[in-house]
Amino acid sequence: MSASYSRTVELTCPRCGRPFQAEIWLIVDAAERPDLLERLRAGTLHTLTCPHCGHEGQAAVLVGLLHDRLGDEWRDEWVAGLQVVPREMLPLVLSGGWEAARREMERQVAQALERLRREDPEAYRQLEEAARQAILQMPLVQVLQAFIQADTWAESRRILEEHPELLSDEADALLRQLIDAARAQGDENAVRLLEEHRSLLGRCREVGAARAFAEKMLPPQALEAAQAAGLTPEQALE
């Protein structure tokens, strides 16, 4: 039995207004139909041509159209768990895989943001502010997650400055719960990571964030040299 699947549908040409039948491929087995795979890569699999006037267009209805035509025979589980990729990324997914497509989409987003920064600084500033406000409104557990998963200690400190609630008893209790859960699961790496950040927050409460992060970010030798020179850790970090 063929794994590839198509449906023949009745369409109306938007140019000449005349009806015609078209075959729309909904499932393509690459091993079974390499010809269809090549059409996918070329971006022409869903290009439909009106036999009356030669007008070409893309079939943009696909799954939704199939859903409507099948009616009660449709099953939601057919599309459960499907990964969605923009049409323009489909050839890259087929040739390089999902990871290559993800990197390309990230690159395009970064380029779009950089173009916005250059061409419309005010809109870019508003976008940055909206993102910052979104972070400020995150629930405590999400703030903790961002704090712990930050790429650098400087980023962790910035998050703490924007979310002083990380120094609250509630945050400390939540961290203790997370540590207990990680320990119960035998995840020692998570335990060490969580305990390190809990200890840092405790130190922030004791001596202030500036000194605590300076102690965290400077190597022991630099701290000793600063002390010998009569400098505070914060001054050594500067």
Side-chain angles (χ1 to χ4, degrees):
M1 180 178 176
S2 174
S4 299
Y5 180 72
S6 67
R7 294 281 294 185
T8 299
V9 297
E10 291 283 344
L11 299 175
T12 300
C13 177
R15 173 181 291 174
C16 68
R18 300 175 66 180
F20 67 97
Q21 290 188 331
E23 183 180 35
I24 298 179
W25 288 95
L26 299 163
I27 301 174
V28 173
D29 185 318
E32 175 189 72
R33 294 293 304 271
D35 59 318
L36 296 179
L37 177 62
E38 288 306 312
R39 288 174 60 188
L40 269 173
R41 287 173 172 159
T44 61
L45 181 65
H46 298 129
T47 298
L48 306 179
T49 302
C50 174
H52 306 297
C53 68
H55 175 71
E56 288 189 349
Q58 290 287 320
V61 288
L62 299 181
V63 175
L65 178 60
L66 180 61
H67 178 282
D68 293 340
R69 291 299 175 89
L70 291 181
D72 293 339
E73 297 179 21
W74 174 265
R75 296 292 180 268
D76 289 337
E77 56 266 27
W78 292 345
V79 295
L82 289 180
Q83 290 178 290
V84 180
V85 66
R87 179 181 295 274
E88 62 271 16
M89 290 288 103
L90 186 56
L92 184 57
V93 171
L94 293 171
S95 60
W98 285 100
E99 183 61 25
R102 183 188 64 79
R103 290 195 301 268
E104 175 60 19
M105 285 189 283
E106 288 179 349
R107 186 189 67 80
Q108 291 184 8
V109 169
Q111 284 186 339
L113 288 173
E114 176 59 23
R115 184 166 59 252
L116 179 65
R117 186 187 66 80
R118 293 195 310 267
E119 298 176 358
D120 194 339
E122 177 58 22
Y124 182 81
R125 186 196 65 76
Q126 293 176 1
L127 183 62
E128 277 193 319
E129 177 62 19
R132 191 182 72 83
Q133 289 300 323
I135 292 177
L136 288 173
Q137 295 170 11
M138 288 192 301
L140 181 57
V141 65
Q142 290 180 278
V143 175
L144 267 175
Q145 183 178 15
F147 176 74
I148 293 169
Q149 295 180 350
D151 293 332
T152 65
W153 291 117
E155 176 67 9
S156 293
R157 180 178 175 181
R158 184 190 65 77
I159 293 173
L160 174 60
E161 290 172 348
E162 294 180 346
H163 292 275
E165 66 269 25
L166 286 170
L167 299 177
S168 67
D169 292 340
E170 182 184 1
D172 188 60
L174 180 55
L175 269 172
R176 286 201 308 271
Q177 293 174 8
L178 293 173
I179 291 169
D180 290 342
R183 186 172 287 116
Q185 295 174 1
D187 191 341
E188 291 304 318
N189 288 332
V191 170
R192 284 193 293 271
L193 182 65
L194 291 166
E195 286 183 336
E196 180 180 24
H197 284 78
R198 185 187 176 212
S199 176
L200 174 59
L201 289 174
R203 186 63 174 158
C204 288
R205 286 191 290 271
E206 292 174 2
V207 301
R211 184 181 183 89
F213 273 92
E215 292 173 350
K216 193 69 180 175
M217 297 166 69
L218 290 173
Q221 299 88 341
L223 287 173
E224 291 176 3
Q227 185 177 10
L231 299 175
T232 66
E234 301 97 303
Q235 291 171 329
L237 185 61
E238 294 174 356

